[in-house]
Amino acid sequence: MAIAFIAAGTRLKADVTATGSPQSVALPAGHLSGHWLILVVLSDDNTGPSTPSGWTLLGTSNPGASTSSPYTARPRLTVFHRIDTGALGASVSVTFWVAVSGSPGHV
């Protein structure tokens, strides 16, 4: 079976506080059972996503430490994947862990 690009979900930018509130990330329109889904998350070095339920971590970058004066966050890239079961709905919930209060995370 050939691999083909079907669609991309909607970009979500969220400022995540120390509570690590879940963010709802839209899945691509037209995803069907059997499709391979990839979730890419870009955050700074003080925060990152927990693995969403049913997803598997493919990999994450090790950004090193931020500089403090002036504050410069280093990007952390995290990638998850899963096979669509046909029962996923329109979005996936992503919860962030936060090492420092007020650190931003972007999905």
Side-chain angles (χ1 to χ4, degrees), residues 32-91:
L32 300 171
S33 181
H35 283 172
W36 180 38
L37 302 175
I38 300 172
L39 174 63
V40 178
V41 180
L42 179 65
S43 61
D44 75 17
D45 59 328
N46 291 318
T47 187
S50 298
T51 303
S53 179
W55 293 74
T56 301
L57 176 66
L58 274 177
T60 189
S61 65
N62 182 1
S66 299
T67 58
S68 59
S69 183
Y71 177 71
T72 304
R74 297 200 176 160
R76 174 188 312 277
L77 184 68
T78 308
V79 181
F80 304 100
H81 76 109
R82 75 170 295 159
I83 301 298
D84 192 335
T85 62
L88 291 179
S91 65

Side-chain angles (χ1 to χ4, degrees), residues 23-28 31 55 87-94:
Q23 301 296 317
S24 181
V25 181
L27 293 174
H31 66 92
W55 293 74
L88 291 179
S91 65
V92 60
S93 180
V94 178

